[in-house]
Amino acid sequence: MSTRRFPEGFLWGVAAASYQVEGAAGEDGRGPSIWDTFSHTPGKVLHGHTGDVSVDQYHRYPEDAALMRDLGVGAYRFSIAWPRVQPAGSGAFNELGFDYYKRLADELHGAGLKAVATLYHWDLPQALEDAGGWPMRDTAMRFADYAAETFSRLGDHIDMWITMNEAWCSSVLGYHIGAHAPGRQDRSASWAAGHHLLLAHGLSVQAYRAGGGGAAGAAPIGITHNLETPHPATNRTEDAEAADRAMDMRTRFFLDPIIGKGYPRRHFDAYPGETPPPIETGDMETIASPVDFLGLNFYFEPTLAAAPVGQDGEVRDGVACHPEEFREVPTHHERTEMDWPVTPRGLYRHLKRVWEHIGGAVPLYITENGCAMPDELSADGLRCHDPRRVAYLREHFAAAADAIADGVDLRGYFVWSLIDNFEWAYGYTKRFGIVYADYVNQRRVPKDSYYYLRGVISGAEPV
Ligand code: IFM
């Protein structure tokens, strides 16, 4: 029997994000976001799915809070939809939007949970995208205003703040690859977007420290990244170098400025025809404003090999080219419905490497971890057996416990997700929840993984 333990006070939680679960897209004065526009554009999201209704958490949050109370978690990580509280992204704020998040936080507190709020989980007000979006510096200024107002209106209700979720996705998937809203394809624009997302983070931390945090201004504030610490496919030097190069955009670009190390310049040098991010005097100091913790979203550890530089689809000497000198190689690992490899020991390595990279400067939280599996309801409709998710969680929990035992200051772990939801460009085709969502009648059915997590939290299940 395993003797692994999580420390006293370890914060267990579940996570979700506004556009993925709230629905109520046109209610109570909410403005349109880039994800409304994107999902309503034919061909952008599988089957034309949208977040218009989703799992209707906007109306069903009491039921979801009760599920979390019975689960025994200490916190719910949700996000605030910027266009719900400031419909046009500048100018007037919407009282009804703030009211919703107050009700949600009160319900969570009543259920014995902490309210962990993310200020930006990708739903940029459409009006700001119309004005140029994240590649424009002004968007960071608008975010700082939105953040300051939100701190002062909701400060008494929120126990922990996260400024940004996965700025890599917003900048690279949104402005370079185009698979996410707003669907643009321009690498220089994505670098500018990345810089402005980080600047927006730094400005909002400064606003918070300057006293915008309300009575609860003592709540910790941090940022969540989906960093990658890839594994080289072989021990050949070129593969090790490729794995290291991949860390420039995926990890160093987003993490190093936060810890005061600036951008990895060699990354921009590798693309001489393109424009590096537009950095103004003082920006790097702003971005490096001290945070209280770093949130990490971890799903898998990629295995990378060197690849000849070329366009996607180009093949040279029998090897597929890649625009960035590295390619992901197939491995023996089990794969999830997202076609992501299941690499729990990769989580151990990731935590250790990030912890060493930041020199132990701030505590870590796993703010997302989970998997999409082919879940189905039992014949009687009362259960959902998801043994592969249970195994996935068990192995990742073990890896996290081992990292703690080996010196990493990991303070909490949020499973993604509380409930099946809108998985961005995949619509509702990927189920990440530990609670099954019946999208026809909005019935919630806890999966076996829900009961497993409950056992881990109560101590009944060994890790
Ligand atoms: O659903 C997403 C979430 O919004 C951000 N992190 C990854 C999850 C799974 O793809």
Side-chain angles (χ1 to χ4, degrees), residues 17 20 121-122 165-166 297 299 338 340 368 416 421-424 432:
Q20 295 183 272
H121 199 126
W122 309 352
N165 182 73
E166 300 181 353
N297 292 352
Y299 290 88
M338 297 293 281
W340 294 345
E368 286 180 26
W416 184 272
N421 59 56
F422 178 81
E423 177 53 27
W424 307 112
F432 273 90

Side-chain angles (χ1 to χ4, degrees), residues 89-395:
S90 62
F93 287 92
N94 176 26
E95 211 53 54
L96 293 177
F98 286 121
D99 285 349
Y100 168 64
Y101 295 107
K102 285 180 192 162
R103 289 199 300 280
L104 173 62
D106 288 349
E107 192 77 25
L108 293 171
H109 290 150
L113 282 95
K114 289 187 171 162
V116 178
T118 303
L119 284 170
Y120 187 73
H121 199 126
W122 309 352
D123 33 10
L124 182 72
Q126 181 61 43
L128 294 184
E129 177 57 28
D130 294 343
W134 284 111
M136 301 299 290
R137 188 175 178 87
D138 189 57
T139 303
M141 306 303 152
R142 301 286 66 77
F143 181 85
D145 290 349
Y146 149 66
E149 186 73 13
T150 303
F151 293 142
S152 78
R153 300 286 190 100
L154 299 181
D156 294 338
H157 298 261
I158 302 301
D159 303 289
M160 191 167 166
W161 291 100
I162 296 172
T163 56
M164 293 279 163
N165 182 73
E166 300 181 353
W168 179 86
C169 292
S170 297
S171 53
V172 177
L173 296 181
Y175 290 93
H176 174 204
I177 294 173
H180 278 191
R184 286 164 59 179
Q185 291 181 308
D186 172 350
R187 194 194 321 258
S188 300
S190 87
W191 288 344
H195 179 62
H196 295 140
L197 283 151
L198 293 177
L199 182 63
H201 152 81
L203 290 167
S204 64
V205 172
Q206 288 185 342
Y208 187 68
R209 302 287 187 217
I221 188 166
I223 185 168
T224 276
H225 281 321
N226 57 334
L227 308 174
E228 271 183 5
T229 44
H231 197 64
T234 69
N235 52 18
R236 291 183 318 156
T237 312
E238 54 268 43
D239 289 341
E241 280 171 359
D244 188 62
R245 283 271 301 111
M247 279 185 61
D248 283 349
M249 189 60 197
R250 198 57 199 248
T251 292
R252 297 188 186 101
F253 184 102
F254 292 98
L255 180 56
D256 287 7
I258 303 282
I259 56 173
K261 289 190 187 170
Y263 288 116
R265 298 300 315 186
R266 75 170 178 178
H267 180 67
F268 309 125
D269 298 342
Y271 302 96
E274 316 215 8
T275 319
I279 305 167
E280 294 192 7
T281 309
D283 283 3
M284 301 317 289
E285 290 74 15
T286 300
I287 294 172
S289 300
V291 288
D292 300 314
F293 64 89
L294 174 66
L296 301 176
N297 292 352
F298 180 90
Y299 290 88
F300 66 95
E301 173 190 70
T303 298
L304 299 185
V309 184
Q311 294 307 311
D312 270 329
E314 195 182 324
V315 176
R316 205 172 308 141
D317 299 330
V319 182
C321 297
H322 193 282
E324 283 157 322
E325 297 172 50
F326 51 81
R327 68 194 159 97
E328 199 178 338
V329 294
T331 57
H332 65 280
H333 300 102
E334 173 194 358
R335 295 183 93 86
T336 70
E337 288 290 284
M338 297 293 281
D339 200 26
W340 294 345
V342 177
T343 56
R345 295 322 291 175
L347 173 60
Y348 174 84
R349 286 189 282 271
H350 187 65
L351 290 168
K352 293 276 289 179
R353 287 179 70 182
V354 172
W355 179 246
E356 279 157 22
H357 192 81
I358 65 169
V362 285
L364 305 180
Y365 286 82
I366 294 172
T367 38
E368 286 180 26
N369 171 248
C371 56
M373 290 294 177
D375 305 321
E376 283 177 12
L377 285 180
S378 57
D380 61 7
L382 298 177
R383 294 297 297 254
C384 177
H385 302 301
D386 57 342
R388 291 176 60 198
R389 180 175 293 100
V390 171
Y392 178 101
L393 292 178
R394 175 179 288 122
E395 289 166 8

